[in-house]
Amino acid sequence: MTVLTEVLERVAASRDGILGVEPGLAIEPDASWTPVADLVREPYTLLGELVDQTAGRWNAPRHVGAALLWKTYGYWHMFPMALGWALDGRIPVMKFRDTFFKVSDAGVSIGATRVTWERGAGAIAAAVAESQAPIVKALSGMVNVGERTLWGSTAEAVAHPLTQVVKGDYMSLLKEIGKPLDGLLTPAGDGYLRKTCCLWITLPDVEPCSTCCVLSRN
């Protein structure tokens, strides 16, 4: 068992077992799992269904559903990489062709048939380019939501686990990863604020996220 697996299992236990990534990362997919690559096959039927499911869950417009879907998927995809960087520098990379997902209590859960271990922020940057950029592009083209808005959620997915689970210099990591993530967060007290909005605040009768960009205007 790796150090990362132990941490992921502890996080899962603290969340009543609800975790959006398999603690061991590697899976042997059954019929409940779907290749992530299917999400970016035109005409994006499967991706559209997930957007509609998310929008329906929150009674939200379709573009808000897309943003909230990405906030969930992008978070759980980044989660083990950010933690690995902070724990021992070993980055678990799930190649796009090897990654599977399923709808779960966490929103979506992710695992891969094969995980490679690399080092350095460059490995995370490459994973973002290979495994996240195609979905971000497809979502942005499908609905009226900007790529920068979606990348803001990935930037927060770097920072959140490094403030809430294992302490790490997330601003340094974001700078090393570079664009499109660098520059989308700003430190604020013991935490940070986003420079983009995940669109949660557009839902009726909700409070803004504690990291929402609107708070910086108050």
Side-chain angles (χ1 to χ4, degrees):
M1 180 182 293
T2 67
V3 175
L4 176 59
T5 299
E6 293 177 352
V7 171
L8 291 176
E9 289 184 343
R10 288 201 300 269
V11 173
S14 71
R15 294 169 53 90
D16 295 325
I18 299 174
L19 196 71
V21 62
E22 291 295 301
L25 304 181
I27 61 168
E28 294 183 8
D30 57 21
S32 68
W33 293 93
T34 301
V36 169
D38 287 0
L39 293 174
V40 295
R41 289 205 174 96
E42 295 187 53
Y44 308 126
T45 301
L46 180 57
L47 185 60
E49 290 174 355
L50 287 178
V51 168
D52 291 339
Q53 288 174 16
T54 306
R57 177 184 180 187
W58 299 109
N59 192 26
R62 201 165 190 244
H63 72 286
V64 176
L68 296 179
L69 171 64
W70 180 251
K71 184 175 183 177
T72 300
Y73 183 94
Y75 181 82
W76 292 119
H77 181 260
M78 178 59 68
F79 194 73
M81 292 192 290
L83 288 179
W85 178 86
L87 286 166
D88 58 11
R90 300 177 69 231
I91 314 298
V93 176
M94 296 181 280
K95 298 292 187 182
F96 196 56
R97 64 179 179 273
D98 301 324
T99 305
F100 286 68
F101 80 95
K102 63 181 176 182
V103 176
S104 71
D105 290 339
V108 293
S109 291
I110 302 168
T113 54
R114 180 172 176 266
V115 178
T116 59
W117 294 87
E118 302 181 21
R119 288 191 175 274
I124 300 179
V128 167
E130 185 208 30
S131 298
Q132 294 200 10
I135 305 176
V136 166
K137 183 178 180 181
L139 281 172
S140 181
M142 178 186 300
V143 299
N144 186 28
V145 60
E147 291 190 18
R148 188 171 185 269
T149 293
L150 302 178
W151 285 126
S153 290
T154 299
E156 181 164 27
V158 173
H160 187 266
L162 300 190
T163 57
Q164 302 300 314
V165 182
V166 175
K167 297 300 181 182
D169 187 352
Y170 59 89
M171 291 299 291
S172 174
L173 178 54
L174 286 168
K175 185 174 182 179
E176 289 185 57
I177 292 172
K179 300 297 181 182
L181 306 187
D182 186 32
L184 297 183
L185 300 182
T186 183
D190 294 332
Y192 58 88
L193 290 173
R194 293 175 53 141
K195 293 184 179 180
T196 63
C197 181
C198 71
L199 303 186
W200 169 261
I201 197 174
T202 65
L203 300 179
D205 302 319
V206 301
E207 294 294 326
C209 305
S210 63
T211 59
C212 185
C213 58
V214 302
L215 299 177
S216 65
R217 303 169 192 155
N218 294 339

